[in-house]
Amino acid sequence: MKFANFKYNITLSDIPEAYQDIASMMGIDNFIEFCFLYGGANIYFPTVKTLKNHFRNDEILELYRGGMTIPEIARQHNISSNYVRYIVKKSPTLKN
């Protein structure tokens, strides 16, 4: 544990109930370290959908670079052609 001089022997039951699932998932030592680093801060965690969309957008850019048309990409990913154009246009590595 990074905070070895922490003088309390904390168990899961010592942690407020609202945070016990998180502490259980990440381990008590990691939870304590997390509290030291981020305690009191408002932190946003992205949804899984947001994480998936990042990888989807990367795949869209690769398909576009590979020569697939925007309508084909849109059909493959079940999104509009306009949204594919938006993804391509906002890419810093592609200039249209």
Side-chain angles (χ1 to χ4, degrees), residues 4-74:
N5 61 350
F6 193 69
K7 63 182 177 179
Y8 302 103
N9 187 15
I10 294 180
T11 64
L12 192 59
S13 62
D14 297 323
I15 295 170
E17 191 173 333
Y19 304 103
Q20 286 182 2
D21 286 346
I22 296 169
S24 179
M25 180 189 70
M26 63 191 316
I28 293 175
D29 288 348
N30 287 333
F31 181 76
I32 293 168
E33 184 172 346
F34 189 86
C35 290
F36 272 110
L37 295 172
Y38 302 104
N42 288 327
I43 299 174
Y44 168 79
F45 291 94
T47 64
V48 172
K49 181 180 178 182
T50 300
L51 297 174
K52 287 171 135 179
N53 286 348
H54 172 76
F55 291 105
R56 180 208 59 200
N57 293 355
D58 285 348
E59 182 179 339
I60 286 170
L61 295 173
E62 285 302 311
L63 293 172
Y64 184 78
R65 284 185 197 105
M68 188 179 275
T69 68
I70 286 177
E72 290 171 331
I73 296 169

